[in-house]
Amino acid sequence: MADLITVEDPDDPRLHDYTGLTDVELRRTREPVEGLFIAEGEKVIRRAKDAGYEMRSMLLSAKWVDVMRDVIDELPAPVYAVSPELAEQVTGYHVHRGALASMQRTPLPTAAELLRTARRVVILESVNDHTNIGAIFRSAAALGMDAVLLSPDCADPLYRRSVKVSMGAVFSVPYARLTSWPRDLESVREAGFTLLALTPDEKARSLDEAAPHRMDRVALMLGAEGDGLSTQALVAADEWVRIPMSHGVDSLNVGAAAAVAFYAVATGRPMGQDGASPPAP
C-alpha cells in the first residue's frame, strides 16, 4: 500500500519530479535523462499503469484521494497530498485535473524489432509540436496502425502535453526512433514496406487511386505542420499520395490529415469526391 503524505512546502525535494512542468525546454531535456514522464488526469494515469509503466509517485489534491484510492492501495509508490495552490506553485500552472503521476520510462524497442511484425506503420519527420504528436498517436491507436517510427528530431511522445492530448494512446502504439535520417528509410523498405509520402503536391496520386489498404505492408510518411516532408524524404519514398481537397482548401492540419490517411491505409478507403461512402474493399 502506498504512503499518503501531506506536503505543505513547495520546495520539498520529494516533489522534484513535478517542478517546472511548464518549462518545455527544461522538461524535454530533463525527463528522458532522469527516466521519467508525467501522466495527468485519472484516465491517463490509469492507462499508464495498465500499460505496465512503473509509478514513481503521485501528486494529488485532496478531492482526488478517494477517486484514486484503488490505485493508491494497489501500488507501493508514495502519494503526495497537496493543496491546489501548492500544486500550482510546484508545477507552474493550475492543475485542473487535480491528479499527476510521475512514471518510470521503459527502454524503447528498435525500429527493426517493430518492423518484424508490423504491417501498417507511421513514419513522422520533424513533427516537433507535442499537440500534433498526441493527436497522431490517438488516431494511430484508434484506426489500427501497428507502430510509429520517429525521425531523430521529432517531439517526445511521452511529454505531458502529448500524453494528455492522446488520452494515453501513446501507451497503446509501440514506437521507436530512427537514428539516421533519411538513410534509415531504406531499412524500412528492405523490411518489405512500401513507402508512401503524404503530400498536397498535385503530382501525388489520391489515396483512393493508390489504394494502400490493398498493399501488403505500408509505411505512411508524414511531415511537420507547414513545411511537410523534406525533399530528401520525398525522394526516398516509393510513391507520393494526397488527400483530395475541396472549396479551395490546400491542406489539412497534420493531425487531421493523419486520421484520414490512417483510415485509408489501415481499414478502408477515404470518402469519395462526391461525398458518398465508397464500397467496402
Side-chain angles (χ1 to χ4, degrees), residues 140-156:
L143 296 170
M145 302 300 285
D146 298 321
V148 178
L149 302 181
L150 306 169
S151 70
D153 55 350
C154 277
D156 179 12

Side-chain angles (χ1 to χ4, degrees), residues 93-168:
Y93 73 105
H94 179 64
V95 184
H96 299 282
R97 297 177 184 269
L100 297 169
S102 175
M103 312 297 294
Q104 189 71 40
R105 291 178 183 247
T106 57
L108 288 181
T110 65
E113 289 169 338
L114 296 184
L115 292 173
R116 285 193 200 106
T117 55
R119 293 187 60 248
R120 300 292 185 258
V121 171
V122 189
I123 301 178
L124 302 181
E125 180 189 29
S126 304
V127 179
N128 49 30
D129 180 273
H130 293 102
T131 297
N132 284 335
I133 286 283
I136 290 169
F137 267 84
R138 188 172 184 180
S139 294
L143 296 170
M145 302 300 285
D146 298 321
V148 178
L149 302 181
L150 306 169
S151 70
D153 55 350
C154 277
D156 179 12
L158 293 183
Y159 181 73
R160 178 177 58 89
R161 181 66 180 165
S162 300
V163 173
K164 182 178 178 180
V165 170
S166 79
M167 289 299 294

Side-chain angles (χ1 to χ4, degrees), residues 215-260:
M215 298 177 183
D216 183 42
R217 307 182 93 184
V218 175
L220 180 70
M221 300 161 57
L222 296 167
E225 190 79 23
D227 293 336
L229 290 166
S230 67
T231 300
Q232 295 94 324
L234 290 169
V235 169
D238 294 307
E239 186 172 358
W240 297 4
V241 294
R242 62 182 174 85
I243 300 169
M245 297 285 108
S246 301
H247 301 294
V249 178
D250 60 352
S251 64
L252 296 173
N253 164 277
V254 67
V260 174

Side-chain angles (χ1 to χ4, degrees), residues 1-4 69 71-79:
M1 182 181 297
D3 296 324
L4 184 59
R69 174 58 64 181
V71 178
I72 294 171
D73 290 345
E74 181 182 341
L75 298 173
V79 179

